[in-house]
Amino acid sequence: MKKEYIKYFLIFIPALILQLSLVPLISIDHFTPDLIVILLVYFTLSEGQLHGTVAGALLGFLFDLFSGNLLGISMFSKTIAAFTAGYFYNENKIESNMAVMNFSLIVFLSAFIDSFFNGIFTDNQSVGIVFMIFEKSLFPAIYTSVVGALIIISLPKRKLI
Amino acid sequence: MQKFFRKLLANFKEYITLVVLLLISLFLLSINNKPGVERFRAISFGTFAYITSTVHSITNIFKNDSETAKLRLENAELMLEVNKLRNYALQNEHLRKMLEMKDTLTYYLLAADVISKLTSKIEGNFIINVGSKHGVEVGMPVINEQGLVGIVIGVAASFSSVRTLENISLNAAVTNQRSGINGILSWNGQRHVIKNIPTTFDMQIGDRIETSEFSTILPPAIPVGIIVEKETEVSGLLSYIYVKPFADVKSVKNLFVVRFVKNIQIDTLETNLLKRIK
């Protein structure tokens, strides 16, 4: 089990680098996919809600630290996102959860929650709740889930980590 | 009792973990402004920025930017110069003689590259490859050859984070170059707007907007944008002035940090004034 965690950790760090340096290059009108959420969902669906929640907090904290964001914002949102993804964890259904459709739907839900909670910590008085839901949360979540689907399609079954 | 707690912990460990982690993150959010935490953030973000900077330089390996960078610097200096000249033409000669402030105002530009963009629709932040060892300080404006792009909000040794114009947290005091009317420019997530300008005030479509002398964070006379739309509120008393920035924040890659911290200048002026009064 510990070996598995080291593997995950070794994947998470390059993912953080990619998220901060290369992913913005594929942004569509400000919307960028969130690789961290995709990996987090994969981790949570493989290891369970508790492990996923802790991983979400750790990754969120690292993301805040390395991106120059306020400490705690991504930690908060990614913890909740991973916790939500954890509801879909079932030891006997790991394979079906990793199916393209299911996986991308879970990624969509987690990314939506992540973006939404990330957004509520900013001054949203001038933005409005509809804008927050659609522009800040829905569109990035759709993009993230599409990228998540592409990643899961491009990988051999259960060979991501 | 112990058994009860053990059972409770076993049954609700996920929820307890969630609550504890959320409380930790909220606690972290509340201590962000403490000097120790700020220093820690600056060090870690600066260290990580080295890695992103390496990745950035690999992706740009085939570009020879030295000539372009030189031209961009020249362009940016010319842009500021042209704007200053526009001001001279518009200003009253008598007032200029009295103030003699803009005549002595010189901008020192420091070239920088964007190495990471953390942008969403409402929060735009960049990381640039110059930091405190190059003389960058928090509060310095960031421009490109077209106009204002943002402001430095965090500085590490070799890197800085920049809050761009497309960030709802950045509110800039601006002025209409032609009529001299002041307002606060902000980003509403979709457009740049100057709110609550009385309809009787002279703000016309096509007027140039620049940073105001009343700004506490930005130096005056940096071009910001142009008025593209004027919308009157339901009451008919106030207008929303929509501004299109000169700089295309989304696609910006090469920037210049204006080595000018407004507060220090104001402080110096105020100190001198107080000395004279005494």
Side-chain angles (χ1 to χ4, degrees):
Chain A
M1 192 58 128
K2 276 180 185 170
K3 230 179 184 180
E4 284 290 301
Y5 288 149
I6 295 167
K7 276 187 200 171
Y8 278 116
F9 187 74
L10 289 176
I11 295 219
F12 279 141
I13 296 299
L16 270 174
I17 299 169
L18 282 179
Q19 183 64 38
L20 287 170
S21 53
L22 293 182
V23 169
L25 300 177
I26 56 162
S27 68
I28 303 172
D29 191 24
H30 277 106
F31 304 123
T32 50
D34 195 333
L35 291 186
I36 312 293
V37 169
I38 296 169
L39 278 170
L40 208 53
V41 169
Y42 192 94
F43 178 78
T44 310
L45 292 178
S46 311
E47 304 297 331
Q49 193 175 35
L50 187 65
H51 294 93
T53 309
V54 176
L58 277 174
L59 276 175
F61 176 74
L62 289 177
F63 187 79
D64 286 334
L65 209 57
F66 297 148
S67 63
N69 259 350
L70 286 178
L71 275 189
I73 291 185
S74 298
M75 185 180 174
F76 188 93
S77 61
K78 286 193 170 36
T79 305
I80 299 179
F83 183 79
T84 312
Y87 276 113
F88 298 92
Y89 170 73
N90 187 328
E91 248 179 303
N92 305 317
K93 286 185 179 174
I94 293 178
E95 284 291 319
S96 69
N97 277 338
M98 295 299 176
V100 178
M101 196 62 189
N102 290 354
F103 184 77
S104 51
L105 279 174
I106 300 168
V107 167
F108 170 77
L109 185 66
S110 299
F112 181 87
I113 287 166
D114 174 55
S115 307
F116 184 79
F117 280 101
N118 212 311
I120 58 169
F121 282 107
T122 53
D123 174 19
N124 57 1
Q125 284 175 338
S126 56
V127 176
I129 191 76
V130 177
F131 183 85
M132 275 285 296
I133 290 172
F134 282 93
E135 299 248 0
K136 173 75 185 162
S137 313
L138 193 64
F139 296 137
I142 291 170
Y143 197 4
T144 305
S145 67
V146 169
V147 172
L150 291 174
I151 289 175
I152 213 86
I153 288 168
S154 64
L155 290 170
K157 270 193 173 180
R158 304 284 291 128
K159 286 283 180 191
L160 181 68
I161 307 293
Chain B
M1 193 68 169
Q2 211 176 5
K3 205 176 170 185
F4 169 76
F5 276 115
R6 216 174 280 168
K7 202 178 170 187
L8 193 79
L9 197 71
N11 286 341
F12 296 102
K13 60 182 181 218
E14 285 87 1
Y15 293 95
I16 294 167
T17 313
L18 175 75
V19 171
V20 169
L21 291 171
L22 292 183
L23 286 175
I24 292 172
S25 53
L26 288 174
F27 172 72
L28 284 174
L29 266 169
S30 69
I31 58 162
N32 263 293
N33 291 330
K34 291 200 170 172
V37 179
E38 275 187 348
R39 215 174 310 126
F40 175 64
R41 279 173 58 200
I43 291 167
S44 39
F45 135 78
T47 313
F48 194 76
Y50 272 112
I51 303 170
T52 41
S53 144
T54 312
V55 176
H56 174 78
S57 53
I58 292 167
T59 54
N60 288 303
I61 204 157
F62 299 111
K63 288 181 190 170
N64 181 12
D65 276 345
S66 58
E67 190 66 22
T68 327
K70 209 172 139 190
L71 288 169
R72 279 178 199 277
L73 176 69
E74 213 171 297
N75 254 345
E77 281 168 349
L78 285 170
M79 177 268 296
L80 291 170
E81 196 66 32
V82 165
N83 202 55
K84 219 156 74 174
L85 291 171
R86 277 182 208 270
N87 272 337
Y88 290 154
L90 291 165
Q91 271 175 349
N92 180 293
E93 195 64 34
H94 175 66
L95 280 175
R96 264 201 296 143
K97 275 179 188 167
M98 278 178 75
L99 285 169
E100 282 179 356
M101 265 178 66
K102 284 194 177 168
D103 293 338
T104 57
L105 201 68
T106 320
Y107 296 113
Y108 298 100
L109 301 181
L110 180 69
D113 285 343
V114 177
I115 59 161
S116 179
K117 287 183 183 180
L118 313 159
T119 55
S120 70
K121 268 275 179 185
I122 54 173
E123 307 154 74
N125 288 310
F126 292 164
I127 295 175
I128 55 172
N129 64 350
V130 287
S132 56
K133 72 175 182 192
H134 305 99
V136 179
E137 287 175 35
V138 171
M140 287 181 171
V142 177
I143 62 167
N144 72 352
E145 67 277 12
Q146 293 159 320
L148 184 71
V149 173
I151 187 164
V152 175
I153 53 159
V155 181
S158 306
F159 301 93
S160 307
S161 52
V162 175
R163 180 173 289 163
T164 71
L165 274 182
E166 293 191 358
N167 188 314
I168 54 167
S169 306
L170 184 70
N171 296 310
V174 291
T175 187
N176 184 321
Q177 200 177 38
R178 182 184 56 82
S179 63
I181 289 169
N182 291 290
I184 303 290
L185 181 83
S186 56
W187 168 249
N188 66 7
Q190 286 171 312
R191 301 175 79 179
H192 290 90
V193 61
I194 307 171
K195 286 180 188 170
N196 302 329
I197 299 292
T199 41
T200 49
F201 280 22
D202 186 11
M203 292 283 237
Q204 303 297 330
I205 292 170
D207 283 355
R208 290 168 65 89
I209 299 295
E210 60 177 24
T211 52
S212 164
E213 283 170 353
F214 295 114
S215 173
T216 53
I217 52 169
L218 295 162
I222 293 183
V224 176
I226 195 160
I227 297 177
V228 286
E229 198 184 326
K230 196 175 167 183
E231 195 180 282
T232 308
E233 228 189 24
V234 189
S235 65
L237 299 171
L238 299 169
S239 297
Y240 282 4
I241 310 293
Y242 292 100
V243 175
K244 187 179 188 300
F246 293 124
D248 184 4
V249 178
K250 280 176 213 159
S251 62
V252 74
K253 280 179 185 166
N254 306 92
L255 300 166
F256 300 96
V257 178
V258 184
R259 293 213 283 188
F260 178 106
V261 181
K262 176 78 177 177
N263 289 340
I264 293 170
Q265 297 245 344
I266 291 173
D267 288 350
T268 317
L269 284 172
E270 281 173 355
T271 315
N272 289 341
L273 200 68
L274 280 171
K275 275 180 192 168
R276 269 186 219 169
I277 291 167
K278 279 177 185 174

